[in-house]
Amino acid sequence: MNPTTDERLLATIGEATLGGRALLYTLGRMGSALRRDDPIRAHLLLHALQSHPFYKGGRVLFDVLELEDLMLDGPPPAPVGHASLWAVTDALVDLLRILARLTSELQEEDGSTPREDVEAPESHDGEGSAPDLPELDPSEYLYDLVVLGVAAEAGRAIARARESAPVSAAQDGPAGLPSPGSPR
């Protein structure tokens, strides 16, 4: 590789790191807002998620990769826009839906054909107004706040999917998650 290619690669990695920092910080602030506005719901969500392997694996990665240090390094970044946030949470909801579908397919014993995927998701270009997000307190464990932010936004993504394309419970599949690629 020549120096120009290496420089571009390193610049892209640097930009991705800053983007990831802004995303994590925004999710943490959203989690902090959820805990401030609805502490009982926040407590119940964390309690329900703490035994899940994704939560545990995420916590290990969060600590090993020192993402808390990354989040707190420098001045707080501006919140990530709705379109970018929705792209990330749509991908997460798609992953959850696919995993839930695998479970339902494994349980189908009547020989019926699995449900078909629907068209690709529409893009989100509306930014909307900035939410009232509190600043993060470095003395708190930020992973739980990021998890709460993800849970809150994923819940909104599921609600958006239900509002935009109402589906019967039988077609919707396990846990009420939208189908992969469904508009949110």
Side-chain angles (χ1 to χ4, degrees):
M1 295 176 102
N2 64 44
T4 306
T5 303
D6 291 346
E7 290 169 0
R8 283 193 302 248
L9 172 64
L10 294 173
T12 301
I13 291 170
E15 290 170 3
T17 301
L18 291 176
R21 177 180 182 262
L23 174 67
L24 289 170
Y25 205 92
T26 299
L27 291 169
R29 291 176 71 191
M30 292 173 71
S32 184
L34 174 61
R35 190 177 62 198
R36 174 197 66 204
D37 299 341
D38 196 347
I40 294 171
R41 178 178 174 223
H43 173 78
L44 292 174
L45 274 170
L46 280 177
H47 183 72
L49 293 171
Q50 286 174 342
S51 64
H52 196 279
F54 284 167
Y55 176 92
K56 291 176 180 180
R59 187 175 187 150
V60 168
L61 287 174
F62 193 84
D63 289 341
V64 168
L65 297 175
E66 298 181 350
L67 295 178
E68 187 166 302
D69 294 343
L70 174 69
M71 290 172 66
L72 298 174
D73 185 29
V80 171
H82 291 295
S84 297
L85 192 58
W86 288 348
V88 171
T89 55
D90 285 353
L92 174 64
V93 170
D94 283 347
L95 173 63
L96 294 174
R97 177 63 178 159
I98 289 166
L99 294 174
R101 179 181 287 162
L102 290 174
T103 300
S104 69
E105 288 174 5
L106 292 172
Q107 294 173 351
E108 290 179 16
E109 295 180 11
D110 63 356
S112 63
T113 309
R115 293 177 291 278
E116 295 294 322
D117 289 349
V118 295
E119 294 181 21
E122 298 174 13
S123 65
H124 305 286
D125 51 11
E127 289 296 309
S129 62
D132 174 31
L133 299 176
E135 291 301 321
L136 294 179
D137 180 354
S139 67
E140 296 184 71
Y141 186 59
L142 299 182
Y143 178 68
D144 285 346
L145 297 178
V146 170
V147 168
L148 286 172
V150 169
E153 189 57 29
R156 283 190 278 277
I158 291 167
R160 283 193 308 273
R162 287 186 176 276
E163 290 170 6
S164 65
V167 187
S168 74
Q171 293 172 321
D172 196 31
L177 297 172
S179 297
S182 66
R184 295 196 226 306

